[in-house]
Every structure is written in structure tokens, then in C-alpha cells.
Amino acid sequence: MKLESSPAAVAQAFVTALGARRYPPAYALTSETYRQANSLEVMRDAFERVVPSDWGPLGPIVVAETLTDWPDKQQGDVAWVFVSVGGDMYSEAVTAVITREGSGLRVRSAEFGRP
């Protein structure tokens, strides 16, 4: 999978793949640290707890906020990105921390659900 060039683009691609239920491509956007702590199935289940498969039409999926400084920022982290997931009845969200890994950007952590 092509590495995205900006933190917002990585987060957008990650959540868009999740929303399309394309879990392997979403998982491919995660960092080694994320994959050591979470299997693809854990990631899928976490997303489906907040956006179940019977949710109905998704959209829009929009990057709503990006921060470059936040309390839990770790070395290598470049942005905290809040991505809104629209739905017919209500909206949810995914918050992703984007980190530099090798020559690209990856999702180091993800929180599923509105704060």
C-alpha cells in the first residue's frame, strides 16, 4: 500500500478503509508499534463496536481537526488527527496518532468512538 504524504491523508485513508470494511489495507497503514499491540481482528472489532456493519450508509468521512502538539505526544509522532464518520442517525469518530516510521507516516494509535 502506498504511504500517504501528510498526517491528515494517512488518517483519512485509514478511516476510509475502515468505513469500507477493507480491514487489511487499513491495518497496512498502522505502525509496527500498533501491530505489536493489536491484531487486525482487534482493530476491526474496535471499529465495529462504534460503527457496526448494520450502521447503514457511511459518510462523509472527514478530517475535522489536526494537532501537532498534545499532552501524550511521543518521539516520532507528527500529528493527532480527529476524523469524523458521518451516518444517517448519528456520527462517530476515530482519533489517530500519526508517527514517522522509516520513510513514511503510519498510524501509531487509534481510538474508536467520540470523546
Side-chain angles (χ1 to χ4, degrees), residues 24-48:
Y27 197 69
L29 290 169
T30 63
S31 69
E32 181 67 28
T33 300
Y34 183 92
R35 290 188 302 272
Q36 287 175 357
N38 302 282
S39 67
L40 183 145
E41 292 76 17
V42 166
M43 179 194 71
R44 178 198 64 216
D45 292 350
F47 181 73
E48 290 193 359

Side-chain angles (χ1 to χ4, degrees), residues 15-16 18-21 47 51-52 55-61 85-88 90:
V15 179
T16 298
L18 291 171
R21 313 296 177 186
F47 181 73
V51 182
W55 171 291
L58 284 177
I61 295 173
V85 179
D88 283 345
Y90 62 96

